[in-house]
Amino acid sequence: MAVLNPGGSVPAPSGPVPRRVLVVSRDDELDSLLAGRRVAAHLAELERTGAAGGPGDQGPPPDVALVCDDEAATRRLLDLGVPVVRLTSGHRTAVDPVTDGALHRVHRPGWLPGPWPTTPGGARTTGLLVPARTARGRRRDGTLLLISLWSVPDAEADAFVAGPLRRLAADAVRRTRRCEVVGDTRVDGLRDALEGIDGLRVRRAADTDVDALHAETELLLASPTLGAVGLAQARRAPLTFLPPLGDVQRDLADRVTRAVPVHVAADPREPSLRAPGPPGAPDPWSALDDAADDLRGAQRVARTLRQLSLAPL
């Protein structure tokens, strides 16, 4: 509420008016959610806004927008004259058409093996989007089980949740005393499937600071997603992949394991989790070529947004 001066008028604001940025992501897609949050962490000088020009929105449109994976929001914002960076949060280029007028970025680390199709519409790869804070807690315990069921076929998701997931979660509790399960979608089904396991809690990714939670846990057991890879690589932390579900996860798991010795918990005859190696053991992420490694993707996208907010194309 504005405070009136004695003359009854509203004082003029002092100093420059802050530029306004809108960040749009799919809350039920883990990679989309984490990509938006990680870029937003580098935009502290821009004022976050919720005005997207959709039904019921109030106030003027933002000065610039980051849209992760949402073609309809991209079109709506461009129609309002808002400069848009459209980010494909997964490693493969978007299936839907790239909207003319938006700058298109694809989340993909430089070390991830190809081959890759030609990116449409001048899309550029970003490098890996990682947490703004890469430090881990000194006293870590427990396991973070990070599961993405976005776009996974129903029959495949149901079979995994009803079967292997409970064994993997119980094994995590047995090894590390507790397990935080964070899912992007079908969270009620995850709770039902894991009910009765002591030391286990199920959370929704949209309501959880995944990056901060990982900093306090010992092990990461995750669906093959770039959000999970970014957590582990930036913090040089151990990572075990859940069995890949759906074509996109299988493709990413295959590419990552060609470059980095990440264990995939796909064989029920093998231990599902692999504990960190002893002090001085080789870091699995050291297998990557440092020259090709790029952990500054979020900063680069944020810099593009700042530039667009000041000098739109």
Side-chain angles (χ1 to χ4, degrees):
M1 178 180 298
V3 178
L4 299 179
N5 66 15
S9 60
V10 179
S14 59
V17 177
R19 311 301 287 176
R20 301 163 70 247
V21 59
L22 172 70
V23 178
V24 179
S25 63
R26 291 172 174 161
D27 285 354
D28 51 357
E29 181 182 3
L30 183 65
D31 266 342
S32 183
L33 179 70
L34 294 182
R37 287 177 176 175
R38 289 174 183 173
V39 174
H42 296 280
L43 295 171
E45 76 281 13
L46 299 182
E47 178 183 310
R48 292 284 296 275
T49 178
D57 288 334
Q58 301 295 323
D63 296 296
V64 67
L66 170 68
V67 180
C68 302
D69 311 290
D70 191 327
E71 182 71 10
T74 302
R75 291 181 183 277
R76 187 167 64 245
L77 287 158
L78 289 174
D79 288 344
L80 291 171
V82 177
V84 176
V85 175
R86 187 180 187 278
L87 174 63
T88 298
S89 66
H91 67 293
R92 303 204 297 201
T93 19
V95 175
D96 52 357
V98 177
T99 306
D100 290 339
L103 297 182
H104 187 199
R105 301 291 183 262
V106 180
H107 184 192
R108 187 189 302 159
W111 54 261
L112 199 64
W116 303 105
T118 302
T119 53
R124 297 181 182 178
T125 57
T126 63
L128 201 60
L129 308 177
V130 305
R133 298 180 179 179
T134 57
R136 301 185 76 196
R138 292 185 178 181
R139 300 182 63 181
R140 303 182 297 272
D141 69 331
T143 296
L144 171 59
L145 192 158
L146 196 55
I147 179 169
S148 176
L149 297 177
W150 169 264
S151 79
V152 175
D154 289 344
E156 200 172 349
D158 291 342
F160 176 71
V161 171
L165 177 62
R166 187 175 179 88
R167 173 183 60 81
L168 290 164
D171 189 32
V173 172
R174 179 179 63 82
R175 288 170 179 256
T176 64
R177 298 182 302 283
R178 67 181 183 90
C179 180
E180 300 280 355
V181 178
V182 179
D184 52 7
T185 188
R186 305 170 71 122
V187 175
D188 289 341
L190 295 176
R191 287 195 179 96
D192 292 343
L194 300 173
E195 186 176 6
I197 300 179
D198 292 336
L200 182 144
R201 177 166 52 174
V202 178
R203 307 188 192 194
R204 183 170 176 258
D207 304 324
T208 305
D209 187 338
V210 171
D211 295 345
L213 187 61
H214 174 255
E216 302 302 324
T217 52
E218 179 183 358
L219 296 180
L220 176 60
L221 177 62
S223 297
T225 60
L226 283 177
V229 171
L231 277 175
Q233 185 184 348
R235 290 171 170 163
R236 318 296 283 191
L239 170 65
T240 295
F241 276 153
L242 291 168
L245 304 175
D247 291 342
V248 173
Q249 289 187 18
R250 280 189 282 272
D251 181 71
L252 181 60
D254 173 69
R255 293 177 190 270
V256 170
T257 54
R258 275 190 268 151
V260 187
V262 173
H263 177 57
V264 180
D267 189 341
R269 296 168 298 180
E270 291 186 2
S272 59
L273 290 175
R274 296 207 171 167
D283 178 352
W285 301 104
S286 63
L288 299 178
D289 180 1
D290 288 339
D293 182 21
D294 180 7
L295 299 179
R296 297 182 297 277
Q299 292 97 313
R300 288 196 171 107
V301 175
R303 183 166 62 245
T304 299
L305 287 163
R306 283 192 293 270
Q307 291 169 345
L308 281 178
S309 74
L310 296 171
L313 297 177

